[in-house]
Amino acid sequence: MDDVQKSTTETRTETDTFGPIEVPSKYYYGAQTARSMIYFNIGLPTDRMPFPLIEACGLLKKACAIVNKQFGLENKISDAISQACDEIIDGKLNEHFPLSIWQTGSGTQTNMNVNEVISNRAIQILGGIMGSKKPVHPNDHVNKSQSSNDAFPTAMHIAAVLELNRQLYPALKYLHSALKKKSEEFSSIYKIGRTHLQDAVPMTLGQEFSAYTHQVAMAIERLRTCEKRLYELAIGGTAVGTGINAPKDFGKFVAQTLNELTQLRFVDAPNKFEALATHDTMVEVSGALNTLAVSLMKIANDIRLLGSGPRCGIGELILPENEPGSSIMPGKINPTQCEAMTMVAAQVMGNHVAVTVGGSMGHFELNVFKPLIIKNVLHSIRILADVCNSFTTHCVSGILPNTSVLTRYMRESLMLVTALNPYIGYDKAAEIAKKAHAEGITLREATLALGYLTEEQFEKYVKPEDMV
């Protein structure tokens, strides 16, 4: 990429419909972006528009430039726009997108930020003067046949699809594989189940882990189910859904071009009015992410509780020791991967609340919480993917069963008495359990003391391996 056109001054003058404004010479953005930085200096630099959304804008603008060739856009302008878009897609121009997510609810400032950067970079490619809007105009050429109202929601869907496929699905499959492996490894290890945090009947450790495995499998299925609606794109609806200033079937052509660029399966949204005025699909996706967070909260909490100890906790699992756990207690090791996962889960739940409120703000023909919605959905996808990778590598893969503890709990459990129900009835079985608990003796000893069974009968009926 050529260096940004050298200037003898630190700023250049750009204009919009509000008049002239100074813009830093080293950046490709123009007047509307500069104004946004003045009026929306909120939460920066941490709350910048997510880069996956910027990449999606680059893909969309390239697709529009290609399609617009058949609707009067000169080849050389289209090609220059496409080249600039490629640099955006590759992340080479990230520094030129400084805007906060806390801006207009339609994302217009970011759409214009993208238009201005592409325009000035294309102008530079064609040998023109940056800021002149000649021969590439940010509105007339880069934004041709588009409105922020259909371009931004289209980019939202593209970004969400890309991040799901590149980040979250691989991480979930990795976690699922590791949990499935543990479930199989632990298939013949018997333990006492727990309900209401109290001892219950026996099961295998593998069965316990099979639940976690299936939770992750179902999370993938839920996301796949709603992902197909993310492929429906708003582009072509322009301002309110009628498609004013866009050629007939523009959205269909753009979707087809995006499919060629991404090897994905985008389609023209069947109802543009719904695609602009609502973000029900994004709320649905966020809901699936929220459900995943619920699942991961349960899995991580179970594992850290089962690994609690090492001497005064449940202690059924031995978790990997990754780092010192305390600045004051020597030798202490904590279940930090579980803690990280539960914190991520809590954050995703909070993100979903924000997305839910944002999704409800579709007043009349336009939802005006678009930046909030996409920021939180992309954030949830990213941190869920990262924590699943971390949790799998640094925790799940190294989990070991503490067989001596598991065996002791099995031997001492009172709920093995459940196996006697068919032979002596519920009431007598309960009497045995209560006597054993009150006197601190075993079930066998209590049974024999009460005279309800012989030792041979007890050994025949109470076999944990037959109770799973």
Side-chain angles (χ1 to χ4, degrees):
M1 183 184 71
D2 297 332
D3 291 331
V4 177
Q5 196 167 1
K6 290 183 173 58
S7 172
T8 56
T9 62
E10 294 183 356
T11 64
R12 67 178 183 273
T13 302
E14 293 234 7
T15 61
D16 59 14
T17 55
F18 271 56
I21 187 172
E22 295 301 303
V23 176
S25 297
K26 65 178 182 177
Y27 294 120
Y28 287 123
Y29 61 74
Q32 291 201 41
T33 303
R35 290 193 198 283
S36 181
M37 293 175 71
I38 295 170
Y39 293 110
F40 298 104
N41 184 17
I42 306 170
L44 294 170
T46 56
D47 287 358
R48 287 172 68 183
M49 193 63 68
F51 288 135
L53 189 280
I54 300 301
E55 176 192 358
C57 287
L59 282 164
L60 173 61
K61 297 296 179 177
K62 179 176 182 177
C64 289
I66 293 170
V67 171
N68 274 323
K69 282 185 179 181
Q70 59 185 296
F71 298 113
L73 186 64
E74 292 182 52
N75 284 349
K76 71 172 186 178
I77 293 178
S78 173
D79 293 344
I81 289 173
S82 292
Q83 183 177 333
C85 288
D86 285 337
E87 294 173 3
I88 292 174
I89 295 165
D90 292 340
K92 296 178 180 178
L93 302 183
N94 284 348
E95 65 177 317
H96 301 273
F97 299 98
L99 297 188
S100 170
I101 60 170
W102 312 115
Q103 52 168 276
T104 176
S106 62
T108 298
Q109 273 82 45
T110 287
N111 183 49
M112 284 308 304
N113 184 182
V114 174
N115 290 335
E116 290 173 344
V117 169
I118 293 172
S119 170
N120 274 326
R121 178 62 185 129
I123 288 170
Q124 187 182 67
I125 290 168
L126 295 173
I129 300 173
M130 284 175 55
S132 67
K133 303 183 184 179
K134 298 177 182 179
V136 183
H137 194 285
N139 297 83
D140 297 338
H141 299 128
V142 183
N143 203 59
K144 181 177 171 63
S145 309
Q146 305 154 60
S147 162
S148 298
N149 297 352
D150 66 345
F152 196 88
T154 298
M156 290 169 65
H157 278 215
I158 295 170
V161 167
L162 290 176
E163 287 296 279
L164 283 172
N165 283 278
R166 292 189 303 206
Q167 303 283 347
L168 189 52
Y169 290 144
L172 288 175
K173 290 175 182 177
Y174 179 40
L175 175 58
H176 178 269
S177 177
L179 288 169
K180 187 173 186 292
K181 183 178 179 181
K182 290 299 174 183
S183 176
E184 293 166 352
E185 288 178 6
F186 302 157
S187 62
S188 60
I189 299 174
Y190 296 94
K191 62 161 288 177
I192 288 297
R194 293 179 180 86
T195 60
H196 304 271
L197 298 181
Q198 304 297 305
D199 300 348
V201 295
M203 64 188 304
T204 69
L205 189 58
Q207 289 170 331
E208 193 163 41
F209 270 70
S210 75
Y212 310 148
T213 305
H214 193 62
Q215 280 186 285
V216 177
M218 292 303 294
I220 296 171
E221 184 176 321
R222 289 186 193 96
L223 285 163
R224 289 290 190 192
T225 298
C226 55
E227 179 196 3
K228 62 186 179 182
R229 284 175 282 282
L230 283 174
Y231 286 97
E232 298 178 2
L233 302 182
I235 196 69
T238 62
V240 298
T242 61
I244 187 172
N245 291 351
K248 186 174 185 253
D249 292 329
F250 182 75
K252 181 180 75 173
F253 295 137
V254 171
Q256 291 170 348
T257 304
L258 281 167
N259 293 344
E260 295 169 6
L261 294 176
T262 63
Q263 301 304 302
L264 293 168
R265 51 188 186 278
F266 294 106
V267 297
D268 193 26
N271 188 298
K272 302 294 185 180
F273 305 101
E274 186 272 346
L276 272 62
T278 83
H279 280 299
D280 293 352
T281 294
M282 298 300 290
V283 177
E284 181 185 21
V285 171
S286 182
L289 296 171
N290 185 67
T291 304
L292 170 58
V294 169
S295 297
L296 296 179
M297 181 74 84
K298 185 263 194 294
I299 293 168
N301 273 332
D302 274 13
I303 288 174
R304 69 170 163 180
L305 288 170
L306 290 171
S308 61
R311 295 191 176 181
C312 302
I314 294 175
E316 292 183 354
L317 297 179
I318 301 171
L319 306 185
E321 298 181 354
N322 297 323
E323 69 281 306
S326 173
S327 62
I328 190 172
M329 293 175 279
K332 192 172 190 296
I333 304 297
N334 296 326
T336 51
Q337 289 297 314
C338 297
E339 291 167 4
M341 176 163 273
T342 52
M343 285 192 290
V344 165
Q347 181 63 59
V348 171
M349 294 173 193
N351 287 352
H352 182 53
V353 172
V355 172
T356 301
V357 174
S360 72
M361 294 296 163
H363 301 141
F364 305 120
E365 278 64 62
L366 188 69
N367 178 285
V368 289
F369 275 58
K370 299 181 192 299
L372 166 84
I373 291 170
I374 190 58
K375 181 264 185 187
N376 281 284
V377 169
L378 291 177
H379 185 228
S380 291
I381 291 172
R382 179 57 187 269
I383 59 177
L384 284 168
D386 287 351
V387 83
C388 284
N389 283 324
S390 181
F391 187 69
T392 304
T393 299
H394 303 300
C395 183
V396 175
S397 296
I399 291 174
L400 297 172
N402 192 342
T403 52
S404 63
V405 171
L406 289 161
T407 301
R408 175 164 58 85
Y409 287 163
M410 179 70 74
R411 184 175 64 249
E412 296 175 355
S413 173
L414 299 177
M415 289 303 100
L416 294 176
V417 77
T418 306
L420 299 180
N421 286 356
Y423 305 103
I424 63 175
Y426 182 93
D427 290 341
K428 288 181 179 179
E431 185 181 356
I432 291 171
K434 289 184 176 182
K435 180 178 178 65
H437 181 56
E439 299 179 13
I441 60 178
T442 66
L443 288 175
R444 179 190 291 103
E445 292 168 337
T447 302
L448 297 179
L450 290 168
Y452 291 147
L453 291 172
T454 66
E455 185 171 0
E456 182 181 356
Q457 288 174 317
F458 183 90
E459 294 296 335
K460 179 181 178 180
Y461 299 150
V462 182
K463 291 183 177 180
E465 60 271 23
D466 293 338
M467 299 175 68
V468 300

